[in-house]
Structure formats: C-alpha cells, structure tokens
Amino acid sequence: MSRIAVIGGGIIGVATAYELAKLGEEVVLFEKNYFGSGSTFRCATGIRAQFTDEANIKLMKHSVERWERLEEELGADIGFNQTGYLFLATSEEEVEAFRANIKLQNRFGVPTRLIDMDEAKEIVPILNTEPFLAGAWNPKDAKANPFKTLFAYLRRARELGADAREHTEVVGLEREGDTITAVKFRSNGKVESVKVDAVLNASNAWEPLINEMAGLRRDLVPIKAYKHQLVKTEPLERGQAEPLVCPPAWEDAYIIQDGEDGGIICGAGIEHEAKSLEDVEPTYDFLRGVLRYAVRIAPPLRYAHVVRQWAGFYAKTPDSNPAIGKLLDNFYIAAGFSGHGFMMAPAVAQAMAELISKGRSKAPLDWEWYDPYRFERGELRSSAFQIG
Amino acid sequence: MRLNEHPVLRFERGREVTIYFEGKPLKAYEGEMIATALYAAGIRVLNYSPNEKRPRGLFCAIGKCSSCLMVVNGIPNVRTCITLVEDGMRIERQHGRSRLPTKAKPPEFKDAKVVRVDIIVVGGGPAGLMAAIHASRAGAKVVLIDENHMLGGQLVKQTHKFFGKREQFAGVRGVEIARILEEELRKSENVKAFLETSAVGIFQEGEEKLVLAVRKERELIEFRGRAVIVATGAMERMIPFENNDLPGVYGAGAIQTLMNTYGVKPGDRVLIVGAGNVGLILAYQLIQAGVEVKAIVEAMPKVGGYFVHAAKVRRLGVPILTRHTILRAEGKEKVERAVVAQLDENWRPIPGTEKTFEVDVIALAVGLRPSIELLHQAGCQIKYVRELGGHVAVRDEWMETTVRGIFVAGDSAGIEEATTAMLEGKIAGIAAALRLGIADESWVDEIEKAQRDLDEFRSGPFGRHVAEGIKKALVVGE
Amino acid sequence: MNEIPAYLQRGYITPEELFSIIPKPSEERLRKRPVAVPECPQEIPCAPCREICPTGAINMPTPNDLPIVDYDKCIGCSLCVQICPGLAFFMVHYVGDKARITMPHELLPVPEKGEEVVLLNRVGEPVGKGKVITVVPREKSKGDTPIIVVEVPIELAWDVRAVKVVRE
Amino acid sequence: MTGKKIVCRCNDVTVEDVERLIDSGVTDIEEIKRLLRVGMGPCQGRTCIPIVISILARKTGKRPEEIPLPKARVPIRPVRVEVIVGGADE
C-alpha cells in the first residue's frame, strides 16, 4: 500500500481519491477551500459523448457507461438522468457537419442521429423550431447533480479509508531527483508535512501553482483560467427543456433544465480570460447576451424569472483537451479539462487511479492524445468541441 | 375584511375591478396587489409547496420570500404580493413547480434606458431620502430609486410618533415624516425619484458604477453614476417552530403592509411572537385596526422594546408573557391555534407549561437584520456584528464601504431607529458629494454636526449597545 | 448582570415603582391644578416633552435622561400629554372626591364629552366607570394625538390609565 | 400533532434536514447550501440562510462570526427574462 496525495477537491480529485482507495491505496486529499469550490460546483451539469474527435468520443462513451452504473456503485442518488443533448443546425453547411460528426460518433458506438424539427419539438416542448433546420440528437447524453455526485464519491472514498481534508492548502512539495517525497500543507494556520509515495495534481485552473511547487515550469502545462458564466431561472416543473439544447452557431449558447429543481440553466461560449484566480465576478454583458440567445431558443423562457448568475473557470489548455498523465516519476496530472471535467470524471478517475497504483490502465483513455508533455513538444490536438 | 375607519390612517381605494380566482369572480380595487385583494376576500392559501405540497400563503408581503407564488393569466411563479390587480385577471393557485406556457413570441431586443447622474441612492426610506436630499443640497445630481409605489420605506406603515428630538421629527408620526421628507425631496431640481424600481445588481465598469434596476417589473434601467448610497433597510428574521409555514403565520411587516398600506384586516385574533419594538408597536397598530391581540410572547426575561410601547398595549389588556416561546402553530390549511410554553434558564420549554391560544394569525416580530444583498453582491467587505443585527458592510466614519464610491446608511448599515437612519443618510449623502469633489469643504461641518447628533442619540443604554457594534464595523485605519 | 426591573418583566409599572423613580406630586399640588406625571422610567433618546413645555418644567439634561417634572413649574397645559411619542404622559387633578385624569386616546371611537366610559387600569382590567369631561380631538391637538380628560373616583387616580368606549 | 419546522420554504427543508446533514459531517455552509438547496430557490436565501447559520453555530460550537455568508448573486431579486433582454413592453 502506498500513500498517495491528491491535490484538489474538485470532482476529478475526489473521484480519483475514491478509485485509489478502492484499489487499496492510502489516500490523502487536500482541498484549500471547500469541496467542489473550484469549477465543479459551478458547472452546467451536462454529460455528453457527442464530441468531434476519436479520443474524446471514446473516452466519453466509456465515461457515460461508468455514469450509468455510478448510483449503484456509490450507493447514492447523484441525480443522473439521460435526458440527451440536442444540437441544432441553422444552415445547410451545419447540417452537413452534423452528419459527419454523427457518422464518426456512430462508428464508436455513440447512438447520435439527425432529427427533424417536429421530433425536436416533441423532445423540447418550449423549443422555437423556426430558426433551425435539423438536430443532432443523442438520447444517451445526460446530466447529473454535481453536488450530490461529488459528495457521493467523497463519502465512499472516506468509507474506504481516504483522508479527505478541506480548508487545507498545499503550500509546498519536497522533491528528490524526479521523485516527490513529501507534501507540505497548511490548515488552521498551521503548516505540517506528510511523506508520500505519489502525488496527483488535480487542481485544474490552479495547476501551474502546484507544478511550480514540484519544481516544474509554470507553463509546462500552459493552462489558463477563462471565466465562463451561467444564468439560471427560478425552479420550474421538469419536462420542458430536459436535454441540453444548443445551436453552436449562436456562440455555443445553450439551455438545459436542472435535474433537481427544474430551473433552466442558460450558458454560452462567451468567455473572458480571468484577471486572476479570484476573478469570478459575473458580468452584465453576459447576462443580457446569454438571455437573448436563450429566448430565441425557447421563447416561453421570456416569462421565467432569473434568480442567479454566476461564473466559474474553464481551465483551458491551448487545444482545449485536458492534460492527463505522468509528469515526473511519481508526480501525475489530470487538469486543464476546459469545461469537461465533470462529465469526464468517472472515466478519468478510474484510469488515473490505475496508472498511479498499477503503472498502467486498460481503460479506453488515449494517453498519447492527452499527454501533458505535448505542449512542450508543440503538438496540439484538434480543439475539443467545447459546450457545457 | 377591509378597513374603512382608522384613528390615524385614511384609505383611498382605486376603481373597482373584477378578478377571477380559480374561475370565481371577486371584487378588487385598482392599486392593490393580487395577494391583498385575495386576502380581503378571505383567501389564505395561495399555493402548495413543491415537495411536500404544504399549503402556503402570504408571508413577507414585499416580494422577497416566494411564499405567494401563483399562476396569473397562465404564467407561473408570479409574486402576487407585489403584482397589481388588473380587470379580468385570471388567478390560480400554483401546485408546486409549474410549467411555462408552451407558446410565446420571442421578445424584441431593446437596449436598456440609461440614466446618468453623480450619485445613485438605493432605497427611499428615511436614510435614503435624507441621503438624496443632502447630496443634492451639496450640489450633486442625484437619482433615488425605491421598489415601493410610495416613498418613505417603513415609515409609511407607522402610525406612531417617533422619538428623539423635535428637529429630528420627534413627536411626528411615521406616515407624516414620510410625507415631509418626500416634499423636501420634491423641492430639489437635482433629484429625480424612480418609484416601483428595484435595484437588482451593481456592476463596476472602471470608475463608473452601474446600478441595474427594473421598473414596474417591466423595464430595465441602467443607472450610471460615480457613487452609490445603499439604504435598503432591513429584513425580518424568522424562527423555526412546528408548522411555521402555515398560512396565518406572517412577518410583522407583512401585517403592517396588509393593514396600514392596503387597509385589509389581517385577522380577528392575533398572537405576537417577540416583545421588541416591532412586536409592541404591531400590537398597538392591530388594536387601532380593531383586531384583538391575545398575547405577546417573548423568549427573553424582559420586554426588549421601549417600556412605554409595552405599557401602551398592557393597559389595553394585552398580556406580555416574558420567558415564553411559541412551540407550534396548529390548524388545517391555516392557523387555528398557537401553542406556547414557558422557557427555563437554558431556553428549553418547560413541560407542562403549554398554553393554547385560539388565534387566526401568528405574527413574528423576532428581530430584523440588515438588507445587505446589494452590498455583498457588489463586493463590499461584510462582517457579522451581533449588536447591529447581523451581517453588515464594513465602513468608515463617513459611511463609505470598502468598495470606493459605495456608501451605506440606515438599517442596512445596522438595525437602529428611523432617527439614526436619517442622520446616517445625511452623512452618507454629504460624504458622497464631498468625496466626488462636488461639495466644498464647508459641508464637513454638516457631517460633524450629524455625527454629534448621532453620538447624543446613542448615549443612552439602548444606543450604547449599537455604538459598541459600530466600532466593530468600522474600517481600521491604515 | 443587573437585576431586571419588574416593570420590564411585566410591561407595566405600579405607582409604587414609578414613585420610587420620580417624586410623587403632593396632595396639595394635585388639588391646585392638573399636574403632568410622566410614566417614562427608562432612559430612551426622546425629548419632545421638554422641548414643548412652555414653562421649562421638564428637567432632562440630555434626551437620554428621564423626564423629571418640576411640579411647581408645571401649569397643567397638557402639551406634554399631546406630544409624548410614547403616550406616557398623564395629568392628574384632584377635584373633590374625584380625580380627573388627562390621557391620550388614539383609538376609535373617540368618546364624546359627557359620555360614560369603562375605566381600565394599567393591565387593561375594567375597574369602574367614569365620565369624559373634555375631549381634544386630533385636529386640535398640538401633538397630533387626541387627548381626553376623564373623571374617576379619587381612589382610582393612580390606577386608571385608559378607557374603553362601549356603545350599542 | 407534530409538524415540520421549516427552514427553507422554497424547497421544504426542515431543521431536522439541516441537523442530519451536519451530523453526517458536512459543516461548510456552502456545501449545506448546495446539498439541501437552501438559498437556491426563488427567495434567494433571504429567510433560510440566517437560520442555517444559527443551527450550524449551535451544532458545531462555532460563533456566527466564523461562518461565512454565502455569496449574494446578481440579480439580487428575481427578474423576468424578457425584462433583461429588453422586450417586456410589447
């Protein structure tokens, strides 16, 4: 049994802590704020396999399969619902692109299909069919409750012996050669140290700070925090806009009905580079901008009341694909999820835990595609499609 | 259930209209809210809660608590306590969460109206009115926004005369102070007041502050200026007890609104929880409106409000049970009874001391806390200060918060009195004009005079407690 | 912690408690003409009584001090009863075997001159009946509060502090 | 008859619900808020959050001063979507 430190109490860190504990490892997890406080609790809850490249399609197909069994495995309600994702085309060119994507997705077993607007209206009763020509529809895409999911993982991880600490900030790593030997952390103003056999940097937007503590260059894995925002309406009866509905041509704007209270979450690809890692202030231009798209997607939304606007980070790599893999002999990274950490977590956590614990993983994760050293080598992947 | 005669207030009603509640026609008057019209018609249950299907009625009566959501003309989640009746309106009880209509025309997009001034005052109660009056006297161009349809804040519901000194309106009724201040405000060409206008957020765009507001639930307005004075008053506290959500359990403010603003009788027999000034004053106001007050219960071993307010209701036969608390409300769909009990030294109910009161209304007057949402949202440093009623914005002696250009005054700066709210408003108004470089230095004297008046007011046993709290809320100098 | 005064535990003050805090006017003074007696035992920031008093009879160095009436200076004009925001000022005047109590009355109906009303003590109990001999309606009051003078048996002079108007 | 002691009207959360969650080890107000959805309904936490803070203080022995207030968000009161986009008038 090795002692493994996981840095970052978001969904990736907590899920990996669970997977490691399940493999019998001694896990200590550090979260400097409260669990989920980084990006996880700010996410739009969507889970999809509708990507446009082989690596992400395969990873997400596997992740969705993990999600399907997760409530049973964790023994808790996590609000997982396969309500689908519906992408909408506004032009013939887009319809063609959808067809090509669907073909690729179908090849790897993702059951997306092209639907007409009558069917789309049945799926989304408040949809405005008029601006759209067709939809790419995968009924297996899903959503889940980020709060319940994270705490279900956390509870099981703790039951399996993981030592998960919040309000505990990692302040230093001790390195001998290419090995990290200890983690220094501060809690209640006191700095302590723990000897470790391996360390996972799962701090997403905060990743460069942790890499620097490991003696690595901050820009080795060049992640930048981009502020993404969401606007949510008051609770509504469910069944009106269950899938995530997105016309990509409209700045990737989308709506999705919350699986818990039925409030409609409105997002868009309108992003701002964060001024700092404290800069999560929502902006007025986003509020108006996103709602103008939302009411065009679903006009009855005009009568709903907005109750909340918030911001979180997309921790983005230059190609919007995460960095997953080994950085030093016993120092690993899973970060830079570019807005996809929540949906990818079940697959990535499992693969990562196996890599750390056993040295390799048979999970369908393309290690080369996500190699954290690819930026150093100047290799960029095709940009991962970046919705919700 | 409508009040026609009152020893202090006069009720003017608008044109008679017909509204339909669950298909049944009801009489209502223009200018009143849906929930108050329904209340006057004896309807207590407005909706059933989302998960447990519990009956819910009016609660805050000022659009903050979500307890009055109904379906109006097919649209769900309408806050009926702040939505005016219209002839022919169709109103239905909402059962849990509701659906949007499936069809609607996409709205046309318009840019918001922009109003540019020097200073934006949010809140037209005593603090906000004084801030606006003095900021404009000091030379600033000011806009005052308030979500109600009349100025004066809580003053307009107060039938009693205020304390303090006569130059601070002592001996004048709350309703009358509101009228005087409004007249004063209207005299100045430099101030424009926007009523029925709610501030929903403050955004900072460089040096400029943008107060985003909604007028009449219909129009978006961008108020742009260099300083903002937040005088948003207070919120009522709630306490948990069994069936504390049963229709008939109301905040004291809601009862005052119903009774003194809309002239609707809240019920026949009332139990009041809390013998602070709010509870005591409410008891007296209920008696003035012809409602029987069965008792006032107070968990503390003494009356928390001014003794004279207690004596006023005692001599009209209202018992005050100190060291007592409410255990539960009882009733099917609405309050029929209240059960109270005596408390021991550790605040635990003493078994066997239960008493039942046959009442149809339970009024909660268990304290106020500052309304700081806007300040908090704007990024002002917030601190919990028990003596000031809860979380407040940290500020300096001129009422400026830790965000430059955002000032605070009145109950939103700490729960106190209308008199101190007015003095703080005066300080904040002048200070904002001074710090923007609009007012000349001679205005500092006016601030100092107001500070002396505040010190004098706070020199008694009630005020000393507040003064202690204010010390904790002050920015420590660099 | 200080002992909590009994009047704060109950919400009313007995004459004994009151006169342990302020002096009681002499019998002689009470017979001479009406005299103002404030039932205001708590230091609250309030001063209109002092400010309105035409003879400077109310001693109160700061608004947070208790009002102490100089009974010799008091001319019984009732302005303090009219202005007091706490409705805590009363006037008492002994006339023969009756006492005339001047008190605020902010409730409806306002009694009429000559009307017989039910007398209430400090806890609202009916203690007898008395006749209203003067009514100053709100419009004529200098403090916006209607006041009435009610005649009560002299032994109830220090008990009656409110009235109830009972009409058919 | 025993009834529920409601903390949050928007989501029917009771005192017992909050206490149970705290007993299970969740003591950060931000986490309590999200797991029970107190303060996430249409009232935006005006009524419930102070009560949650007092329960949390009582159960954990913390002083209210030590419990951070969850962030207030725009809009601080609910606003119709059509008003924000600017088309409520037609």
Side-chain angles (χ1 to χ4, degrees), chain B residues 52-115:
Chain B
E52 308 277 338
K53 317 290 172 225
R54 296 170 72 84
R56 294 278 167 75
L58 193 69
F59 187 61
C60 77
I62 48 169
K64 311 263 188 203
C65 78
S66 85
S67 198
C68 69
L69 302 184
M70 300 184 85
V71 180
V72 177
N73 294 336
I75 295 170
N77 299 323
V78 175
R79 283 165 173 70
T80 53
C81 73
I82 51 164
T83 306
L84 290 163
V85 295
E86 284 170 24
D87 199 23
M89 223 172 207
R90 288 170 292 111
I91 300 147
E92 257 89 35
R93 283 195 179 114
Q94 187 165 318
H95 293 264
R97 292 181 182 126
S98 202
R99 295 178 87 84
L100 295 169
T102 47
K103 278 204 186 87
K105 220 169 66 176
E108 276 172 37
F109 303 151
K110 276 201 305 257
D111 281 336
K113 175 178 172 157
V114 177
V115 176

Side-chain angles (χ1 to χ4, degrees), chain A residues 310-346:
Chain A
W310 71 96
F313 297 137
Y314 272 28
K316 279 174 69 163
T317 61
D319 59 15
S320 298
N321 282 280
I324 306 172
K326 194 192 259 198
L327 288 172
L328 296 170
D329 281 353
N330 68 343
F331 184 60
Y332 301 84
I333 187 168
F337 283 86
S338 311
H340 306 136
F342 182 61
M343 63 174 82
M344 289 180 173

Side-chain angles (χ1 to χ4, degrees), chain B residues 145-147 194-199 213-216 221 223:
Chain B
I145 68 178
D146 189 275
E147 55 192 18
F194 281 73
L195 290 174
E196 293 178 77
T197 304
S198 305
V214 176
R215 186 162 167 267
K216 296 190 170 190
I221 308 180
F223 292 97

Side-chain angles (χ1 to χ4, degrees), chain A residues 324-326 333 348 351-355 360-372 374 381:
Chain A
I324 306 172
K326 194 192 259 198
I333 187 168
V348 171
M352 187 44 102
E354 286 170 1
L355 180 73
R360 65 199 160 80
S361 165
K362 284 180 292 187
L365 185 146
D366 185 338
W367 296 100
E368 201 188 311
W369 180 271
Y370 299 113
D371 180 2
R374 68 182 184 275
R381 310 300 175 217

